[in-house]
PDB file of all heavy atoms in Angstrom:
ATOM      1  N   ASN A 254      15.183   1.719  17.814  1.00  0.00           N
ATOM      2  CA  ASN A 254      16.071   0.568  17.639  1.00  0.00           C
ATOM      3  C   ASN A 254      15.915  -0.127  16.293  1.00  0.00           C
ATOM      4  O   ASN A 254      16.344  -1.262  16.122  1.00  0.00           O
ATOM      5  CB  ASN A 254      15.823  -0.447  18.767  1.00  0.00           C
ATOM      6  CG  ASN A 254      16.076   0.154  20.140  1.00  0.00           C
ATOM      7  OD1 ASN A 254      17.063   0.844  20.349  1.00  0.00           O
ATOM      8  ND2 ASN A 254      15.168  -0.110  21.073  1.00  0.00           N
ATOM      9  N   TYR A 255      15.324   0.584  15.337  1.00  0.00           N
ATOM     10  CA  TYR A 255      15.095  -0.049  14.034  1.00  0.00           C
ATOM     11  C   TYR A 255      16.426  -0.294  13.320  1.00  0.00           C
ATOM     12  O   TYR A 255      17.290   0.582  13.268  1.00  0.00           O
ATOM     13  CB  TYR A 255      14.204   0.836  13.161  1.00  0.00           C
ATOM     14  CG  TYR A 255      13.749   0.139  11.896  1.00  0.00           C
ATOM     15  CD1 TYR A 255      12.641  -0.693  11.902  1.00  0.00           C
ATOM     16  CD2 TYR A 255      14.457   0.296  10.705  1.00  0.00           C
ATOM     17  CE1 TYR A 255      12.229  -1.345  10.752  1.00  0.00           C
ATOM     18  CE2 TYR A 255      14.050  -0.352   9.545  1.00  0.00           C
ATOM     19  CZ  TYR A 255      12.936  -1.169   9.582  1.00  0.00           C
ATOM     20  OH  TYR A 255      12.544  -1.818   8.446  1.00  0.00           O
ATOM     21  N   VAL A 256      16.581  -1.495  12.754  1.00  0.00           N
ATOM     22  CA  VAL A 256      17.809  -1.876  12.052  1.00  0.00           C
ATOM     23  C   VAL A 256      17.565  -1.858  10.547  1.00  0.00           C
ATOM     24  O   VAL A 256      16.731  -2.604  10.031  1.00  0.00           O
ATOM     25  CB  VAL A 256      18.291  -3.272  12.481  1.00  0.00           C
ATOM     26  CG1 VAL A 256      19.565  -3.651  11.713  1.00  0.00           C
ATOM     27  CG2 VAL A 256      18.540  -3.304  13.984  1.00  0.00           C
ATOM     28  N   TRP A 257      18.298  -1.018   9.836  1.00  0.00           N
ATOM     29  CA  TRP A 257      18.161  -0.839   8.385  1.00  0.00           C
ATOM     30  C   TRP A 257      18.968  -1.913   7.665  1.00  0.00           C
ATOM     31  O   TRP A 257      20.113  -2.182   8.018  1.00  0.00           O
ATOM     32  CB  TRP A 257      18.669   0.542   8.009  1.00  0.00           C
ATOM     33  CG  TRP A 257      18.364   1.015   6.628  1.00  0.00           C
ATOM     34  CD1 TRP A 257      19.018   0.672   5.486  1.00  0.00           C
ATOM     35  CD2 TRP A 257      17.332   1.931   6.230  1.00  0.00           C
ATOM     36  NE1 TRP A 257      18.477   1.325   4.395  1.00  0.00           N
ATOM     37  CE2 TRP A 257      17.432   2.114   4.836  1.00  0.00           C
ATOM     38  CE3 TRP A 257      16.354   2.644   6.918  1.00  0.00           C
ATOM     39  CZ2 TRP A 257      16.593   2.958   4.109  1.00  0.00           C
ATOM     40  CZ3 TRP A 257      15.511   3.482   6.203  1.00  0.00           C
ATOM     41  CH2 TRP A 257      15.630   3.627   4.818  1.00  0.00           C
ATOM     42  N   ASN A 258      18.400  -2.535   6.650  1.00  0.00           N
ATOM     43  CA  ASN A 258      19.082  -3.596   5.916  1.00  0.00           C
ATOM     44  C   ASN A 258      20.293  -3.044   5.157  1.00  0.00           C
ATOM     45  O   ASN A 258      20.202  -2.020   4.481  1.00  0.00           O
ATOM     46  CB  ASN A 258      18.106  -4.243   4.916  1.00  0.00           C
ATOM     47  CG  ASN A 258      18.652  -5.522   4.315  1.00  0.00           C
ATOM     48  OD1 ASN A 258      19.566  -5.501   3.494  1.00  0.00           O
ATOM     49  ND2 ASN A 258      18.093  -6.646   4.722  1.00  0.00           N
ATOM     50  N   VAL A 259      21.414  -3.738   5.242  1.00  0.00           N
ATOM     51  CA  VAL A 259      22.667  -3.256   4.647  1.00  0.00           C
ATOM     52  C   VAL A 259      22.634  -3.275   3.122  1.00  0.00           C
ATOM     53  O   VAL A 259      23.474  -2.643   2.481  1.00  0.00           O
ATOM     54  CB  VAL A 259      23.874  -4.083   5.144  1.00  0.00           C
ATOM     55  CG1 VAL A 259      24.072  -3.893   6.640  1.00  0.00           C
ATOM     56  CG2 VAL A 259      23.710  -5.557   4.796  1.00  0.00           C
ATOM     57  N   LYS A 260      21.683  -3.985   2.531  1.00  0.00           N
ATOM     58  CA  LYS A 260      21.601  -4.030   1.076  1.00  0.00           C
ATOM     59  C   LYS A 260      20.802  -2.858   0.499  1.00  0.00           C
ATOM     60  O   LYS A 260      20.666  -2.731  -0.718  1.00  0.00           O
ATOM     61  CB  LYS A 260      20.973  -5.347   0.626  1.00  0.00           C
ATOM     62  CG  LYS A 260      21.860  -6.571   0.851  1.00  0.00           C
ATOM     63  CD  LYS A 260      21.236  -7.823   0.263  1.00  0.00           C
ATOM     64  CE  LYS A 260      22.144  -9.030   0.457  1.00  0.00           C
ATOM     65  NZ  LYS A 260      23.399  -8.900  -0.306  1.00  0.00           N
ATOM     66  N   VAL A 261      20.275  -2.004   1.395  1.00  0.00           N
ATOM     67  CA  VAL A 261      19.462  -0.870   0.967  1.00  0.00           C
ATOM     68  C   VAL A 261      20.171   0.431   1.333  1.00  0.00           C
ATOM     69  O   VAL A 261      20.437   0.673   2.512  1.00  0.00           O
ATOM     70  CB  VAL A 261      18.075  -0.898   1.633  1.00  0.00           C
ATOM     71  CG1 VAL A 261      17.237   0.294   1.185  1.00  0.00           C
ATOM     72  CG2 VAL A 261      17.359  -2.204   1.309  1.00  0.00           C
ATOM     73  N   PRO A 262      20.520   1.270   0.367  1.00  0.00           N
ATOM     74  CA  PRO A 262      21.138   2.566   0.690  1.00  0.00           C
ATOM     75  C   PRO A 262      20.258   3.328   1.679  1.00  0.00           C
ATOM     76  O   PRO A 262      19.034   3.414   1.494  1.00  0.00           O
ATOM     77  CB  PRO A 262      21.204   3.274  -0.669  1.00  0.00           C
ATOM     78  CG  PRO A 262      21.246   2.168  -1.668  1.00  0.00           C
ATOM     79  CD  PRO A 262      20.370   1.085  -1.105  1.00  0.00           C
ATOM     80  N   LYS A 263      20.870   3.896   2.691  1.00  0.00           N
ATOM     81  CA  LYS A 263      20.105   4.488   3.795  1.00  0.00           C
ATOM     82  C   LYS A 263      19.762   5.951   3.516  1.00  0.00           C
ATOM     83  O   LYS A 263      20.313   6.877   4.102  1.00  0.00           O
ATOM     84  CB  LYS A 263      20.886   4.358   5.102  1.00  0.00           C
ATOM     85  CG  LYS A 263      20.028   4.549   6.342  1.00  0.00           C
ATOM     86  CD  LYS A 263      20.816   4.236   7.607  1.00  0.00           C
ATOM     87  CE  LYS A 263      19.945   4.372   8.840  1.00  0.00           C
ATOM     88  NZ  LYS A 263      20.700   4.067  10.087  1.00  0.00           N
ATOM     89  N   TYR A 264      18.833   6.146   2.590  1.00  0.00           N
ATOM     90  CA  TYR A 264      18.282   7.480   2.368  1.00  0.00           C
ATOM     91  C   TYR A 264      16.776   7.343   2.189  1.00  0.00           C
ATOM     92  O   TYR A 264      16.249   6.247   1.925  1.00  0.00           O
ATOM     93  CB  TYR A 264      18.929   8.186   1.178  1.00  0.00           C
ATOM     94  CG  TYR A 264      18.718   7.550  -0.168  1.00  0.00           C
ATOM     95  CD1 TYR A 264      17.582   7.829  -0.932  1.00  0.00           C
ATOM     96  CD2 TYR A 264      19.670   6.681  -0.716  1.00  0.00           C
ATOM     97  CE1 TYR A 264      17.393   7.259  -2.187  1.00  0.00           C
ATOM     98  CE2 TYR A 264      19.494   6.117  -1.969  1.00  0.00           C
ATOM     99  CZ  TYR A 264      18.352   6.405  -2.696  1.00  0.00           C
ATOM    100  OH  TYR A 264      18.164   5.839  -3.928  1.00  0.00           O
ATOM    101  N   TYR A 265      16.068   8.445   2.327  1.00  0.00           N
ATOM    102  CA  TYR A 265      14.613   8.436   2.306  1.00  0.00           C
ATOM    103  C   TYR A 265      14.084   8.578   0.886  1.00  0.00           C
ATOM    104  O   TYR A 265      14.357   9.570   0.212  1.00  0.00           O
ATOM    105  CB  TYR A 265      14.096   9.589   3.181  1.00  0.00           C
ATOM    106  CG  TYR A 265      12.594   9.672   3.304  1.00  0.00           C
ATOM    107  CD1 TYR A 265      11.802   8.534   3.364  1.00  0.00           C
ATOM    108  CD2 TYR A 265      11.964  10.911   3.394  1.00  0.00           C
ATOM    109  CE1 TYR A 265      10.430   8.616   3.506  1.00  0.00           C
ATOM    110  CE2 TYR A 265      10.589  11.009   3.539  1.00  0.00           C
ATOM    111  CZ  TYR A 265       9.824   9.857   3.589  1.00  0.00           C
ATOM    112  OH  TYR A 265       8.462   9.950   3.731  1.00  0.00           O
ATOM    113  N   SER A 266      13.344   7.589   0.431  1.00  0.00           N
ATOM    114  CA  SER A 266      12.667   7.621  -0.863  1.00  0.00           C
ATOM    115  C   SER A 266      11.662   6.488  -0.872  1.00  0.00           C
ATOM    116  O   SER A 266      11.767   5.535  -0.088  1.00  0.00           O
ATOM    117  CB  SER A 266      13.661   7.443  -2.014  1.00  0.00           C
ATOM    118  OG  SER A 266      14.144   6.114  -2.036  1.00  0.00           O
ATOM    119  N   VAL A 267      10.681   6.569  -1.754  1.00  0.00           N
ATOM    120  CA  VAL A 267       9.727   5.465  -1.851  1.00  0.00           C
ATOM    121  C   VAL A 267      10.451   4.194  -2.267  1.00  0.00           C
ATOM    122  O   VAL A 267      10.079   3.085  -1.850  1.00  0.00           O
ATOM    123  CB  VAL A 267       8.583   5.782  -2.837  1.00  0.00           C
ATOM    124  CG1 VAL A 267       7.696   6.881  -2.305  1.00  0.00           C
ATOM    125  CG2 VAL A 267       9.115   6.153  -4.221  1.00  0.00           C
ATOM    126  N   ASN A 268      11.493   4.323  -3.058  1.00  0.00           N
ATOM    127  CA  ASN A 268      12.223   3.157  -3.553  1.00  0.00           C
ATOM    128  C   ASN A 268      12.920   2.398  -2.433  1.00  0.00           C
ATOM    129  O   ASN A 268      12.849   1.168  -2.361  1.00  0.00           O
ATOM    130  CB  ASN A 268      13.246   3.590  -4.609  1.00  0.00           C
ATOM    131  CG  ASN A 268      12.626   4.449  -5.679  1.00  0.00           C
ATOM    132  OD1 ASN A 268      12.734   5.658  -5.631  1.00  0.00           O
ATOM    133  ND2 ASN A 268      11.937   3.830  -6.626  1.00  0.00           N
ATOM    134  N   THR A 269      13.611   3.135  -1.569  1.00  0.00           N
ATOM    135  CA  THR A 269      14.315   2.482  -0.461  1.00  0.00           C
ATOM    136  C   THR A 269      13.343   1.973   0.604  1.00  0.00           C
ATOM    137  O   THR A 269      13.573   0.932   1.215  1.00  0.00           O
ATOM    138  CB  THR A 269      15.326   3.442   0.178  1.00  0.00           C
ATOM    139  OG1 THR A 269      14.671   4.677   0.513  1.00  0.00           O
ATOM    140  CG2 THR A 269      16.482   3.731  -0.777  1.00  0.00           C
ATOM    141  N   ILE A 270      12.246   2.690   0.826  1.00  0.00           N
ATOM    142  CA  ILE A 270      11.240   2.248   1.793  1.00  0.00           C
ATOM    143  C   ILE A 270      10.602   0.946   1.330  1.00  0.00           C
ATOM    144  O   ILE A 270      10.396   0.016   2.113  1.00  0.00           O
ATOM    145  CB  ILE A 270      10.159   3.332   2.002  1.00  0.00           C
ATOM    146  CG1 ILE A 270      10.759   4.604   2.605  1.00  0.00           C
ATOM    147  CG2 ILE A 270       9.033   2.806   2.881  1.00  0.00           C
ATOM    148  CD1 ILE A 270      11.359   4.431   3.984  1.00  0.00           C
ATOM    149  N   TRP A 271      10.276   0.861   0.019  1.00  0.00           N
ATOM    150  CA  TRP A 271       9.735  -0.383  -0.532  1.00  0.00           C
ATOM    151  C   TRP A 271      10.685  -1.551  -0.271  1.00  0.00           C
ATOM    152  O   TRP A 271      10.276  -2.588   0.266  1.00  0.00           O
ATOM    153  CB  TRP A 271       9.551  -0.258  -2.048  1.00  0.00           C
ATOM    154  CG  TRP A 271       8.378   0.538  -2.491  1.00  0.00           C
ATOM    155  CD1 TRP A 271       7.214   0.784  -1.797  1.00  0.00           C
ATOM    156  CD2 TRP A 271       8.234   1.184  -3.768  1.00  0.00           C
ATOM    157  NE1 TRP A 271       6.374   1.555  -2.558  1.00  0.00           N
ATOM    158  CE2 TRP A 271       6.961   1.815  -3.773  1.00  0.00           C
ATOM    159  CE3 TRP A 271       9.040   1.293  -4.897  1.00  0.00           C
ATOM    160  CZ2 TRP A 271       6.496   2.537  -4.872  1.00  0.00           C
ATOM    161  CZ3 TRP A 271       8.578   2.004  -5.982  1.00  0.00           C
ATOM    162  CH2 TRP A 271       7.318   2.613  -5.972  1.00  0.00           C
ATOM    163  N   ALA A 272      11.941  -1.381  -0.672  1.00  0.00           N
ATOM    164  CA  ALA A 272      12.911  -2.475  -0.577  1.00  0.00           C
ATOM    165  C   ALA A 272      13.170  -2.863   0.869  1.00  0.00           C
ATOM    166  O   ALA A 272      13.193  -4.058   1.208  1.00  0.00           O
ATOM    167  CB  ALA A 272      14.212  -2.066  -1.262  1.00  0.00           C
ATOM    168  N   GLU A 273      13.378  -1.881   1.726  1.00  0.00           N
ATOM    169  CA  GLU A 273      13.656  -2.167   3.128  1.00  0.00           C
ATOM    170  C   GLU A 273      12.501  -2.942   3.768  1.00  0.00           C
ATOM    171  O   GLU A 273      12.714  -3.919   4.491  1.00  0.00           O
ATOM    172  CB  GLU A 273      13.903  -0.848   3.876  1.00  0.00           C
ATOM    173  CG  GLU A 273      13.867  -0.925   5.393  1.00  0.00           C
ATOM    174  CD  GLU A 273      14.804  -1.947   6.000  1.00  0.00           C
ATOM    175  OE1 GLU A 273      15.928  -2.112   5.503  1.00  0.00           O
ATOM    176  OE2 GLU A 273      14.399  -2.582   6.990  1.00  0.00           O
ATOM    177  N   SER A 274      11.273  -2.541   3.482  1.00  0.00           N
ATOM    178  CA  SER A 274      10.107  -3.196   4.086  1.00  0.00           C
ATOM    179  C   SER A 274       9.920  -4.612   3.566  1.00  0.00           C
ATOM    180  O   SER A 274       9.593  -5.527   4.329  1.00  0.00           O
ATOM    181  CB  SER A 274       8.849  -2.370   3.810  1.00  0.00           C
ATOM    182  OG  SER A 274       8.983  -1.069   4.339  1.00  0.00           O
ATOM    183  N   GLY A 275      10.130  -4.802   2.257  1.00  0.00           N
ATOM    184  CA  GLY A 275      10.003  -6.138   1.688  1.00  0.00           C
ATOM    185  C   GLY A 275      11.049  -7.094   2.223  1.00  0.00           C
ATOM    186  O   GLY A 275      10.754  -8.254   2.542  1.00  0.00           O
ATOM    187  N   LEU A 276      12.278  -6.620   2.329  1.00  0.00           N
ATOM    188  CA  LEU A 276      13.346  -7.455   2.872  1.00  0.00           C
ATOM    189  C   LEU A 276      13.100  -7.780   4.339  1.00  0.00           C
ATOM    190  O   LEU A 276      13.406  -8.892   4.803  1.00  0.00           O
ATOM    191  CB  LEU A 276      14.698  -6.757   2.702  1.00  0.00           C
ATOM    192  CG  LEU A 276      15.211  -6.633   1.264  1.00  0.00           C
ATOM    193  CD1 LEU A 276      16.509  -5.830   1.227  1.00  0.00           C
ATOM    194  CD2 LEU A 276      15.421  -8.007   0.639  1.00  0.00           C
ATOM    195  N   LYS A 277      12.544  -6.838   5.076  1.00  0.00           N
ATOM    196  CA  LYS A 277      12.246  -7.080   6.485  1.00  0.00           C
ATOM    197  C   LYS A 277      11.234  -8.211   6.642  1.00  0.00           C
ATOM    198  O   LYS A 277      11.357  -9.055   7.547  1.00  0.00           O
ATOM    199  CB  LYS A 277      11.701  -5.803   7.126  1.00  0.00           C
ATOM    200  CG  LYS A 277      11.624  -5.861   8.657  1.00  0.00           C
ATOM    201  CD  LYS A 277      13.010  -5.911   9.292  1.00  0.00           C
ATOM    202  CE  LYS A 277      13.741  -4.595   9.078  1.00  0.00           C
ATOM    203  NZ  LYS A 277      15.092  -4.610   9.684  1.00  0.00           N
ATOM    204  N   ALA A 278      10.239  -8.245   5.756  1.00  0.00           N
ATOM    205  CA  ALA A 278       9.247  -9.322   5.809  1.00  0.00           C
ATOM    206  C   ALA A 278       9.921 -10.680   5.583  1.00  0.00           C
ATOM    207  O   ALA A 278       9.648 -11.655   6.302  1.00  0.00           O
ATOM    208  CB  ALA A 278       8.162  -9.086   4.765  1.00  0.00           C
ATOM    209  N   LEU A 279      10.807 -10.763   4.588  1.00  0.00           N
ATOM    210  CA  LEU A 279      11.497 -12.016   4.297  1.00  0.00           C
ATOM    211  C   LEU A 279      12.412 -12.427   5.448  1.00  0.00           C
ATOM    212  O   LEU A 279      12.482 -13.613   5.801  1.00  0.00           O
ATOM    213  CB  LEU A 279      12.311 -11.874   3.012  1.00  0.00           C
ATOM    214  CG  LEU A 279      11.503 -11.641   1.724  1.00  0.00           C
ATOM    215  CD1 LEU A 279      12.449 -11.431   0.544  1.00  0.00           C
ATOM    216  CD2 LEU A 279      10.561 -12.811   1.448  1.00  0.00           C
ATOM    217  N   GLU A 280      13.101 -11.462   6.037  1.00  0.00           N
ATOM    218  CA  GLU A 280      13.982 -11.744   7.170  1.00  0.00           C
ATOM    219  C   GLU A 280      13.190 -12.311   8.342  1.00  0.00           C
ATOM    220  O   GLU A 280      13.561 -13.331   8.936  1.00  0.00           O
ATOM    221  CB  GLU A 280      14.700 -10.470   7.622  1.00  0.00           C
ATOM    222  CG  GLU A 280      15.767  -9.972   6.678  1.00  0.00           C
ATOM    223  CD  GLU A 280      16.309  -8.617   7.104  1.00  0.00           C
ATOM    224  OE1 GLU A 280      15.775  -8.045   8.076  1.00  0.00           O
ATOM    225  OE2 GLU A 280      17.239  -8.129   6.453  1.00  0.00           O
ATOM    226  N   GLU A 281      12.099 -11.643   8.674  1.00  0.00           N
ATOM    227  CA  GLU A 281      11.326 -12.038   9.856  1.00  0.00           C
ATOM    228  C   GLU A 281      10.587 -13.358   9.654  1.00  0.00           C
ATOM    229  O   GLU A 281      10.301 -14.062  10.618  1.00  0.00           O
ATOM    230  CB  GLU A 281      10.360 -10.921  10.230  1.00  0.00           C
ATOM    231  CG  GLU A 281      11.079  -9.669  10.706  1.00  0.00           C
ATOM    232  CD  GLU A 281      10.140  -8.552  11.135  1.00  0.00           C
ATOM    233  OE1 GLU A 281       8.951  -8.594  10.785  1.00  0.00           O
ATOM    234  OE2 GLU A 281      10.613  -7.638  11.832  1.00  0.00           O
ATOM    235  N   LEU A 282      10.282 -13.693   8.404  1.00  0.00           N
ATOM    236  CA  LEU A 282       9.646 -14.976   8.117  1.00  0.00           C
ATOM    237  C   LEU A 282      10.667 -16.093   7.891  1.00  0.00           C
ATOM    238  O   LEU A 282      10.296 -17.255   7.713  1.00  0.00           O
ATOM    239  CB  LEU A 282       8.753 -14.853   6.879  1.00  0.00           C
ATOM    240  CG  LEU A 282       7.459 -14.056   7.070  1.00  0.00           C
ATOM    241  CD1 LEU A 282       6.799 -13.793   5.711  1.00  0.00           C
ATOM    242  CD2 LEU A 282       6.492 -14.789   7.991  1.00  0.00           C
ATOM    243  N   GLY A 283      11.944 -15.731   7.880  1.00  0.00           N
ATOM    244  CA  GLY A 283      12.998 -16.723   7.692  1.00  0.00           C
ATOM    245  C   GLY A 283      13.071 -17.274   6.276  1.00  0.00           C
ATOM    246  O   GLY A 283      13.499 -18.413   6.060  1.00  0.00           O
ATOM    247  N   GLU A 284      12.674 -16.459   5.286  1.00  0.00           N
ATOM    248  CA  GLU A 284      12.660 -16.897   3.884  1.00  0.00           C
ATOM    249  C   GLU A 284      14.014 -16.641   3.226  1.00  0.00           C
ATOM    250  O   GLU A 284      14.181 -15.748   2.395  1.00  0.00           O
ATOM    251  CB  GLU A 284      11.543 -16.183   3.125  1.00  0.00           C
ATOM    252  CG  GLU A 284      10.149 -16.516   3.613  1.00  0.00           C
ATOM    253  CD  GLU A 284       9.703 -17.908   3.167  1.00  0.00           C
ATOM    254  OE1 GLU A 284      10.448 -18.569   2.404  1.00  0.00           O
ATOM    255  OE2 GLU A 284       8.610 -18.333   3.581  1.00  0.00           O
ATOM    256  N   VAL A 285      14.992 -17.457   3.575  1.00  0.00           N
ATOM    257  CA  VAL A 285      16.365 -17.266   3.107  1.00  0.00           C
ATOM    258  C   VAL A 285      16.470 -17.389   1.586  1.00  0.00           C
ATOM    259  O   VAL A 285      17.165 -16.615   0.919  1.00  0.00           O
ATOM    260  CB  VAL A 285      17.312 -18.281   3.777  1.00  0.00           C
ATOM    261  CG1 VAL A 285      18.738 -18.130   3.230  1.00  0.00           C
ATOM    262  CG2 VAL A 285      17.302 -18.101   5.280  1.00  0.00           C
ATOM    263  N   LYS A 286      15.765 -18.354   1.007  1.00  0.00           N
ATOM    264  CA  LYS A 286      15.873 -18.581  -0.443  1.00  0.00           C
ATOM    265  C   LYS A 286      15.382 -17.371  -1.234  1.00  0.00           C
ATOM    266  O   LYS A 286      15.937 -17.057  -2.303  1.00  0.00           O
ATOM    267  CB  LYS A 286      15.085 -19.828  -0.851  1.00  0.00           C
ATOM    268  CG  LYS A 286      13.593 -19.751  -0.599  1.00  0.00           C
ATOM    269  CD  LYS A 286      12.889 -21.022  -1.066  1.00  0.00           C
ATOM    270  CE  LYS A 286      11.379 -20.923  -0.832  1.00  0.00           C
ATOM    271  NZ  LYS A 286      10.671 -22.145  -1.296  1.00  0.00           N
ATOM    272  N   TYR A 287      14.378 -16.685  -0.715  1.00  0.00           N
ATOM    273  CA  TYR A 287      13.886 -15.490  -1.403  1.00  0.00           C
ATOM    274  C   TYR A 287      14.802 -14.292  -1.175  1.00  0.00           C
ATOM    275  O   TYR A 287      14.979 -13.457  -2.066  1.00  0.00           O
ATOM    276  CB  TYR A 287      12.465 -15.162  -0.947  1.00  0.00           C
ATOM    277  CG  TYR A 287      11.417 -16.116  -1.487  1.00  0.00           C
ATOM    278  CD1 TYR A 287      10.552 -16.782  -0.636  1.00  0.00           C
ATOM    279  CD2 TYR A 287      11.310 -16.357  -2.848  1.00  0.00           C
ATOM    280  CE1 TYR A 287       9.592 -17.661  -1.126  1.00  0.00           C
ATOM    281  CE2 TYR A 287      10.354 -17.236  -3.356  1.00  0.00           C
ATOM    282  CZ  TYR A 287       9.497 -17.890  -2.486  1.00  0.00           C
ATOM    283  OH  TYR A 287       8.561 -18.754  -2.980  1.00  0.00           O
ATOM    284  N   LEU A 288      15.382 -14.202   0.003  1.00  0.00           N
ATOM    285  CA  LEU A 288      16.324 -13.117   0.289  1.00  0.00           C
ATOM    286  C   LEU A 288      17.489 -13.121  -0.691  1.00  0.00           C
ATOM    287  O   LEU A 288      17.979 -12.072  -1.110  1.00  0.00           O
ATOM    288  CB  LEU A 288      16.849 -13.236   1.719  1.00  0.00           C
ATOM    289  CG  LEU A 288      15.943 -12.719   2.836  1.00  0.00           C
ATOM    290  CD1 LEU A 288      16.457 -13.168   4.193  1.00  0.00           C
ATOM    291  CD2 LEU A 288      15.852 -11.201   2.786  1.00  0.00           C
TER     292      LEU A 288
END
Side-chain angles (χ1 to χ4, degrees):
N254 300 316
Y255 189 84
V256 179
W257 192 280
N258 191 288
V259 295
K260 290 186 178 294
V261 180
K263 197 173 182 180
Y264 64 86
Y265 182 36
S266 71
V267 292
N268 309 99
T269 52
I270 297 297
W271 284 336
E273 165 55 38
S274 301
L276 291 176
K277 192 67 68 180
L279 295 176
E280 289 173 355
E281 293 182 343
L282 288 170
E284 296 285 355
V285 177
K286 63 179 181 179
Y287 287 125
L288 280 168

